[in-house]
Amino acid sequence: DGWQKENRIYSTNLCERDTILGGEEKLRQAINRAYEETNPKVIFIVGTPVVAINNDDVNSMLYDFEDIDAKIIPINTDGFKTKTFITGYDLVLHSLLCHVVKGRKEGESAEEFLNVVSVSENKENRAAIAEILDVLEIPYQFVPAGQDIDSIERAAYANATIVLNRDEGEYFAKKLEDIYGVPYVVTKSPIGIRGTRHFIRQIAKLYQIEERAEVYVRNQEEQIGRAYAGNPLQNKKVFVEASPYEIPRFNTFIQELGGEISGLCVPYVDENDREAFKHLEAVAKNVPVIVAVGQLFERSEE
C-alpha cells in the first residue's frame, strides 16, 4: 500500500558488547535521529530476543522522550509471549491496544461505524469488502492495515468489530470486546459464495438490515450463477496457496465451481490451526502439502 512506502527503518546496530552491557544509549540515539529526520506521527520500537536476554528496559526509556511530539510504541518480540508463534501478529496488535487505542470517556457512547480488522489482506481484498459495506450503507474503518494512527485510536468507539482472517486478527477483536466492550461479531471469511453469504448475513443481523442484505445477496448470487454457469472449473485441478484459516473456504469455493484441489501451500501451521484442517475431509488424501513459502518450481507439475 502507498502509506507503507513512507516508512523508514533505523537500526540500533547492537554489537557483542551491547548484548552484554545493554544498548539503551544506541536506542536513544536512533529515536532522536528518526524524529529529527522524518518528524513522524509514530515511532515503533521493535525489540528482538537479544534485547529480551540483556534485559534492556525499553518501556522505562520512553519517559525520556516526553518532549517528542510523536507516539513511541514498543513491540516486544522476545518469542515467548506470543500465541501465534509463526507471525507474532498478536504481539503487534497487543502493543496497538496498549499504546494507541483510546477508550471511551465516561458518558461517551459508541459511534455508528464498524471495525474491520485486516492484517495481511492487500488493497484489492479490502476494496472488495468496502464495496459490500458501501452497498449496505454501513460506515466502517479498516484497522490496523491501510489506516493511519488516528483511525486505530478510534477503534474503541466502534459499535462492533469483525475480522477478515481470524488466524491473524481475532486477538485484536477479542481484546476490544474484553477491555472496551466493543462487540465482536464472528463471521466466516468472505471467500466463495457460502462464506460471503454468511459474512453479509451476520453483519446485516447486527445492523438490523436483513431485508436489504437478502436482496443484495440474491442479486449477486444470480449474477454469479450466470457468470459461472456450467461449472467453469469442471475437470480442472487447482493449486491453492493461502493461510491455514482460508484453505477450507477456498476448497469449498473451488468445489462450487466444479474444480478439484491438486495441491496446497500454507506459509505456516501451528497449534491454532487444528480446527481449520478438520474441515478438509473433502480433499483427497494424496494431495501434496507444502508448509513454507513455496518456490515456483515446487508448485508446478511436470
Side-chain angles (χ1 to χ4, degrees), residues 29-93:
Q29 292 171 3
I31 292 173
N32 283 324
R33 182 185 166 202
Y35 183 72
E36 290 169 3
E37 292 183 0
T38 64
N39 192 28
K41 276 189 174 182
V42 59
I43 297 172
F44 291 96
I45 302 174
V46 182
T48 65
V50 171
V51 172
I53 291 169
N54 70 15
N55 204 29
D56 282 353
D57 193 353
V58 175
N59 289 339
S60 294
M61 278 188 60
L62 302 187
Y63 294 105
D64 297 343
F65 299 96
E66 291 182 345
D67 57 329
I68 284 183
D69 185 23
K71 287 185 179 296
I72 302 179
I73 302 172
I75 299 175
N76 301 308
T77 56
D78 58 18
F80 302 105
K81 296 175 182 176
T82 180
K83 300 301 180 186
T84 53
F85 296 100
I86 304 299
T87 64
Y89 285 143
D90 58 340
L91 292 179
V92 179
L93 295 173

Side-chain angles (χ1 to χ4, degrees), residues 158-169:
N159 55 8
T161 303
I162 59 171
V163 177
L164 298 183
N165 185 323
R166 283 159 60 184
D167 262 2
E168 300 173 352

Side-chain angles (χ1 to χ4, degrees), residues 2-148:
W3 65 275
Q4 292 176 321
K5 295 177 183 177
E6 300 173 7
N7 293 344
R8 296 279 297 275
I9 297 175
Y10 292 81
S11 172
T12 52
N13 196 26
L14 297 177
C15 63
E16 185 176 351
R17 182 177 184 278
D18 300 323
T19 63
I20 299 170
L21 300 178
E24 289 94 338
E25 184 54 36
K26 284 189 172 181
L27 176 58
R28 188 175 287 105
Q29 292 171 3
I31 292 173
N32 283 324
R33 182 185 166 202
Y35 183 72
E36 290 169 3
E37 292 183 0
T38 64
N39 192 28
K41 276 189 174 182
V42 59
I43 297 172
F44 291 96
I45 302 174
V46 182
T48 65
V50 171
V51 172
I53 291 169
N54 70 15
N55 204 29
D56 282 353
D57 193 353
V58 175
N59 289 339
S60 294
M61 278 188 60
L62 302 187
Y63 294 105
D64 297 343
F65 299 96
E66 291 182 345
D67 57 329
I68 284 183
D69 185 23
K71 287 185 179 296
I72 302 179
I73 302 172
I75 299 175
N76 301 308
T77 56
D78 58 18
F80 302 105
K81 296 175 182 176
T82 180
K83 300 301 180 186
T84 53
F85 296 100
I86 304 299
T87 64
Y89 285 143
D90 58 340
L91 292 179
V92 179
L93 295 173
H94 178 78
S95 291
L96 294 177
L97 285 160
C98 290
H99 299 282
V100 180
V101 175
K102 293 182 177 179
R104 298 199 298 266
K105 297 177 182 177
E106 187 175 350
E108 288 185 317
S109 57
E111 298 177 16
E112 287 293 322
F113 71 90
L114 177 70
N115 284 324
V116 183
V117 180
S118 170
V119 178
S120 68
E121 288 79 16
N122 59 34
K123 60 183 178 182
E124 288 81 10
N125 296 147
R126 293 195 291 273
I129 300 303
E131 182 179 342
I132 293 172
L133 297 175
D134 286 339
V135 169
L136 297 177
E137 299 179 359
I138 297 173
Y140 60 89
Q141 68 168 17
F142 289 99
V143 287
Q147 290 293 344
D148 58 20

Side-chain angles (χ1 to χ4, degrees), residues 184-251:
Y184 169 33
V185 180
V186 179
T187 71
K188 292 182 180 179
S189 282
I191 298 172
I193 296 171
R194 296 181 198 175
T196 306
R197 183 193 300 138
H198 182 271
F199 177 83
I200 292 172
R201 284 176 173 171
Q202 289 298 98
I203 298 172
K205 184 178 178 181
L206 171 69
Y207 287 94
Q208 299 179 343
I209 55 170
E210 290 95 329
E211 285 190 23
R212 189 195 313 165
E214 286 303 318
V215 171
Y216 176 67
V217 168
R218 188 163 56 250
N219 289 339
Q220 291 299 306
E221 291 185 359
E222 287 175 359
Q223 292 179 34
I224 291 170
R226 289 192 295 269
Y228 294 149
N231 293 333
L233 293 182
Q234 189 71 42
N235 300 321
K236 290 184 172 61
K237 294 186 177 181
V238 181
F239 187 94
V240 179
E241 182 174 6
S243 73
Y245 176 71
E246 295 170 323
I247 287 288
R249 280 78 189 171
F250 278 113
N251 178 48

Side-chain angles (χ1 to χ4, degrees), residues 265-289:
C265 180
V266 293
Y268 56 83
V269 175
D270 65 20
E271 194 70 22
N272 296 329
D273 301 313
R274 286 179 176 269
E275 192 62 33
F277 281 98
K278 287 180 182 178
H279 298 286
L280 289 177
E281 297 90 347
V283 178
K285 301 291 188 223
N286 61 345
V287 167
V289 178

